[in-house]
Amino acid sequence: MADVAFEHLEIRHCIYMEDDVRSFTDETEFDRVFSDLTEYFSDLSTGWTLYGRYSDHAGQFLAMAIGDFDERDDAFTVMNALLAPMAKARDLAREPEFPIKPGVQISPAEMAACALDDFINQSSNHERL
């Protein structure tokens, strides 16, 4: 797989039809399509999918499914958990400088970098893979 770097995350309502998944960013469109499809299919299932959005080498904006959920709240819980380390780093970057030890100052940017380093290191340590 080519290098992928998500530009953002999004949650979409989905209709699952055998090997086909139809995802929607608009709930009105989802309701319309679901209503139309139920006229022909009696066993449709629905759910919520968390996607990572990224651009490929050709500049095409793509979506990669990260997880499927029965409940919308569950999808948002996981998305918010993934975003939490970045939010923590953002908040640290906005903090005023403060001393860790007497006479030692750490910049807000360095505090944010340390928070992100910790998350990245804890996630990519080969002992945990």
Side-chain angles (χ1 to χ4, degrees):
M1 176 183 292
D3 291 337
V4 174
F6 295 137
E7 296 174 29
H8 71 270
L9 304 174
E10 69 182 16
I11 294 170
R12 297 183 189 174
H13 209 167
C14 297
I15 301 170
Y16 307 110
M17 301 172 39
E18 295 178 11
D19 294 333
D20 185 31
V21 176
R22 297 185 186 188
S23 65
F24 302 85
T25 56
D26 180 87
E27 285 299 308
T28 303
E29 181 183 3
F30 168 84
D31 291 338
R32 182 186 57 76
V33 172
F34 185 74
S35 177
D36 291 346
L37 288 173
T38 54
E39 292 180 24
Y40 304 101
F41 302 96
S42 60
D43 59 346
L44 292 175
S45 61
T46 65
W48 301 87
T49 299
L50 173 60
Y51 289 94
R53 299 299 309 266
Y54 66 100
S55 295
D56 67 5
H57 295 294
Q60 185 177 6
F61 199 49
L62 303 173
M64 178 186 294
I66 296 170
D68 296 321
F69 304 89
D70 292 332
E71 301 293 329
R72 183 175 188 246
D73 287 346
D74 293 339
F76 272 99
T77 296
V78 170
M79 182 176 71
N80 289 331
L82 291 169
L83 294 171
M86 291 173 273
K88 177 182 176 183
R90 177 206 55 212
D91 294 345
L92 287 170
R94 291 181 175 156
E95 287 290 319
E97 294 181 19
F98 71 96
I100 296 295
K101 296 179 184 174
V104 177
Q105 295 285 324
I106 294 181
S107 71
E110 183 60 26
M111 290 187 307
C114 287
L116 290 172
D117 277 345
D118 184 53
F119 182 79
I120 292 165
N121 290 335
Q122 291 293 327
S123 300
S124 61
N125 182 323
H126 290 289
E127 292 176 10
R128 291 179 179 80
L129 296 179

